[in-house]
Amino acid sequence: MIASNTDEKKLFEEMLAAACHFGHGVSKWNPKMEPYIYAKRDGIHIFNIKKTATNLKRALDFLRESAAAGKTILLVSTKLQATKLVFDAATATGCSYVTRKWMPGLLTNFETIQRRIKYFKDLKTNRESGEWEKYTKKERLEMSRAIQKLEDAFSGVEQMSKLPNIVVVFDSVRDALALREARRLKITSVGVCDSNADPDLLTYPIPGNDDAIKSLKFFI
């Protein structure tokens, strides 16, 4: 539970100010989210922020303990408005991240993905060492394009030499593929669940608004 009534009140105020309590329209919802819904207002589902606070606290305690134990965490959000937020959070915490397209098989086909990442690293190393000088201008252009494509796919996981212990997402619908891969491999998952999401995909679901920039900033 929240440490004190004062802390609880402050957290509620912060969540309300960040619009964390607004869900999607009532026609766009997943019935599995019903336990977290407080009411319907003007055709919009409103979350029970007490349950959001409880789930958030549980998730934060788990992440804090896991980080202290040296567990590796992968942050995922391919939503455009969250890109810089997740990048900044990953940079500050030393986590690997995915902020562009989720590469199918990133987790479930990890060995193959690792070979592609090695190829990506080798291309960059050879370019920096001057190895490219022996190639034609056309070949160098093709390799530059290959680096750009691989950069888009793997820049945030370039240093991820093993499967992560935990996957954290900030839109459980948009990044459901990441959650399904994590679930298949029994990797613990944490994530924000809007009213249209399936909380069963997550080990630690946090009911809340995954669209508003203020809400995303709060959760991230």
Side-chain angles (χ1 to χ4, degrees):
M1 296 297 292
I2 304 301
S4 70
N5 288 337
T6 300
D7 289 340
E8 183 179 65
K9 181 180 179 182
K10 182 180 178 182
L11 181 60
F12 289 169
E13 289 174 349
E14 289 177 355
M15 287 193 294
L16 290 171
C20 296
H21 57 301
F22 290 120
H24 283 278
V26 295
S27 63
K28 297 179 180 180
W29 81 307
N30 188 320
K32 291 181 181 179
M33 290 299 293
E34 186 173 10
Y36 304 111
I37 302 298
Y38 172 73
K40 301 174 185 177
R41 300 270 172 81
D42 300 322
I44 301 292
H45 276 125
I46 305 297
F47 288 110
N48 183 328
I49 59 169
K50 287 187 176 182
K51 292 188 176 182
T52 299
T54 297
N55 282 31
L56 176 61
K57 176 67 163 53
R58 187 182 297 126
L60 289 175
D61 286 346
F62 167 73
L63 289 171
R64 190 176 296 110
E65 291 167 6
S66 298
K71 302 293 185 182
T72 54
I73 300 170
L74 174 64
L75 305 182
V76 180
S77 184
T78 58
K79 178 171 284 186
L80 184 60
Q81 61 263 46
T83 297
K84 188 175 186 307
L85 296 172
V86 172
F87 173 79
D88 289 345
T91 301
T93 57
C95 291
S96 295
Y97 62 92
V98 174
T99 56
R100 297 180 184 177
K101 179 182 178 182
W102 176 265
M103 186 62 60
L106 179 60
L107 302 180
T108 54
N109 200 14
F110 191 67
E111 289 186 9
T112 299
I113 294 294
Q114 282 293 291
R115 287 196 290 271
R116 293 295 293 164
I117 290 176
K118 183 180 184 304
Y119 172 65
F120 171 46
K121 289 180 176 180
D122 289 345
L123 277 176
K124 292 198 298 181
T125 298
N126 290 339
R127 179 181 61 182
E128 291 161 7
S129 68
E131 283 291 308
W132 282 23
E133 295 303 317
K134 65 184 180 183
Y135 295 104
T136 66
K137 183 177 180 180
K138 180 181 179 182
E139 288 171 328
R140 291 198 298 270
L141 179 59
E142 289 174 350
M143 288 188 290
S144 292
R145 287 172 176 167
I147 284 180
Q148 184 58 57
K149 185 175 181 180
L150 292 166
E151 182 86 28
D152 290 343
F154 301 128
S155 61
V157 295
E158 189 176 347
Q159 306 306 321
M160 194 172 76
S161 59
K162 62 179 182 178
L163 283 169
N165 300 114
I166 303 158
V167 172
V168 180
V169 304
F170 300 98
D171 185 329
S172 300
V173 173
R174 186 180 181 93
D175 294 310
L177 181 56
L179 293 176
R180 291 191 182 98
E181 290 195 26
R183 189 180 188 185
R184 181 176 172 184
L185 296 174
K186 295 181 170 53
I187 295 172
T188 303
S189 57
V190 177
V192 179
C193 272
D194 213 321
S195 57
N196 63 334
D198 180 358
D200 292 347
L201 289 178
L202 290 140
T203 315
Y204 291 89
I206 304 166
N209 184 344
D210 65 11
D211 286 318
I213 191 67
K214 290 190 295 183
S215 181
L216 286 168
K217 283 183 179 179
F218 173 84
F219 286 122
I220 294 171

